[in-house]
Amino acid sequence: MDKVAADAFVYAKASGMYSKAFVGERAKKLFEQNHVSDLWTLLFKDEVPLVPEGRLAQLLERRVAEQSAADFVSLVKMYDKPDPLSLAFLSFYDCNNIKTAYQAVLSGAEKPYLVDISPFSMLKTDAWPDIGAMTASSPYKWFDRIPEMDLRVKWENRLDNQYFMGLWTAMNQLPGKDRMAVEDIVREEIVLQNIVWALRLRVYYKMTEEDILPMLAGSGENPEVKAELTEPALAVLRKPLDSIEEWKKWKYFSLLNPEDENGFWQLDPRWLGLQIQRKIYKTAENRFHQSQFTAGVLVSFFKIQRLQEYMIRVAAEGIRMGASEIQMNEFVGDLDA
């Protein structure tokens, strides 16, 4: 199929999938279910497995991840020669599969569920539990063993950075029209992820700016790219963590956690991370139909899929843990804001 025909077919097929996705207004249906089994029936056509609810929630999340990957792979395969950015987004699964694989070895678990993205995976997943054999001859061959305790955060961070800089490199390989459709989305995601990573490292690991800089995506690039991608994160490292007044002129102030009822405030990186994901997802939703017949369709669709997976996971956990209707409604309301 030539590229023009493939672009039209992919947009039509992705539009059909998007119309059925549980995001936006349709996401509220997820939070109206009373049992995980009800959620299964809402999402799938087959019978509900006869297993405890906790196990059912795991199976449901696995099934959703499996279907999301299969849907995206089916779209990418429409092209005789997929664009480099779509392939770079698929590496998200390889990076997560490496983390899942080595953590399963550490915990002594049976072979874990690894998301199948064949024929695009660069890993030899059948080689598990030999992590080195899994990653051999891949861009991740440096991840050749179970990292020692003091290296785990750094190695996982390196995987994340490799993924994001892979997106950046692939984006820059696109022709003009395609690049224009995705450049600001890719750039903002890397910038925002660097910000939340920097604050997590500062708050949870008490790292200094000198320690944090090498762990930011883009820190090893040329000076222009380094400044573009890392400077916004370095700037927030100089702000106080206990004075909201000092943040009010910050570009992303609206993404910060609010003061409590007593006026107390302490920056919460987890809150910020969630709000950043919501911002990225909302941008993707808004852009989907504006990016017809460009690489932007698959970029937006990939992000919408991640949103749906997240929403389903939250709904399943909320139901299983007995979250109240008010708590569920508050979550959905925040997401739609």
Side-chain angles (χ1 to χ4, degrees), residues 227-240:
E228 185 175 7
L229 300 181
T230 68
E231 190 55 42
L234 295 178
V236 301
L237 292 178
R238 299 154 196 158
K239 291 182 175 293

Side-chain angles (χ1 to χ4, degrees), residues 45-66:
K45 294 180 180 180
D46 54 336
E47 292 186 5
V48 179
L50 297 176
V51 295
E53 194 161 75
R55 175 58 176 162
L56 184 61
Q58 292 178 335
L59 293 176
L60 184 147
E61 291 175 22
R62 177 184 298 182
R63 177 82 169 269
V64 170
E66 185 179 60

Side-chain angles (χ1 to χ4, degrees), residues 27-28 30-31 274-275 278 281 307 310-315 318 323-337:
K28 294 181 180 179
L30 300 172
F31 297 87
L274 175 58
Q275 298 303 320
R278 289 172 172 171
Y281 295 142
L307 171 59
Y310 178 77
M311 294 291 284
I312 292 170
R313 187 166 62 250
V314 169
S324 69
E325 184 177 350
I326 292 176
Q327 290 172 314
M328 291 289 200
N329 288 338
E330 285 178 350
F331 179 85
V332 176
D334 284 345
L335 189 66
D336 286 341

Side-chain angles (χ1 to χ4, degrees), residues 89-223:
F89 272 110
L90 276 169
S91 70
F92 166 86
Y93 292 107
D94 275 345
C95 291
N96 277 3
N97 281 343
I98 292 172
K99 295 176 188 177
T100 300
Y102 99 79
Q103 289 165 0
V105 176
L106 280 175
S107 67
E110 296 180 358
K111 183 175 181 179
Y113 170 69
L114 303 177
V115 179
D116 180 15
I117 57 167
S118 57
F120 299 111
S121 177
M122 299 182 184
L123 304 178
K124 299 174 183 175
T125 55
D126 289 342
W128 188 91
D130 187 337
I131 302 302
M134 279 183 60
T135 61
S137 304
S138 80
Y140 317 102
K141 61 185 178 182
W142 58 268
F143 204 117
D144 58 359
R145 64 184 188 278
I146 304 297
E148 294 77 13
M149 177 73 75
D150 61 338
L151 290 177
R152 288 171 196 164
V153 171
K154 290 184 178 180
W155 279 33
E156 290 198 14
N157 172 262
R158 182 176 173 183
L159 275 178
D160 293 337
N161 283 354
Q162 188 167 338
Y163 166 66
F164 282 109
M165 293 317 298
L167 297 183
W168 182 262
T169 299
M171 178 200 73
N172 282 293
Q173 294 172 353
L174 295 176
K177 181 181 177 182
D178 287 307
R179 178 173 171 172
M180 287 178 61
V182 302
E183 186 172 8
D184 59 336
I185 299 176
V186 173
R187 179 192 297 107
E188 184 168 55
E189 180 171 14
I190 297 173
V191 167
L192 289 171
Q193 290 295 345
N194 273 339
I195 288 171
V196 76
W197 286 342
L199 289 172
R200 283 174 178 162
L201 294 170
R202 180 185 176 190
V203 172
Y204 301 138
Y205 297 94
K206 311 302 179 186
M207 289 187 180
T208 65
E209 181 175 324
E210 184 178 1
D211 296 326
I212 292 170
L213 177 58
M215 300 183 74
L216 300 180
S219 62
E221 303 297 315
N222 65 60

Side-chain angles (χ1 to χ4, degrees), residues 245-271:
E245 291 295 324
E246 299 293 325
W247 293 79
K248 287 188 173 178
K249 293 184 179 180
W250 187 47
K251 180 178 181 179
Y252 302 108
F253 174 73
S254 63
L255 304 181
L256 295 177
N257 55 295
E259 294 175 298
D260 67 18
E261 62 274 12
N262 298 314
F264 174 80
W265 185 80
Q266 190 83 28
L267 186 136
D268 183 351
R270 289 171 296 182
W271 177 289

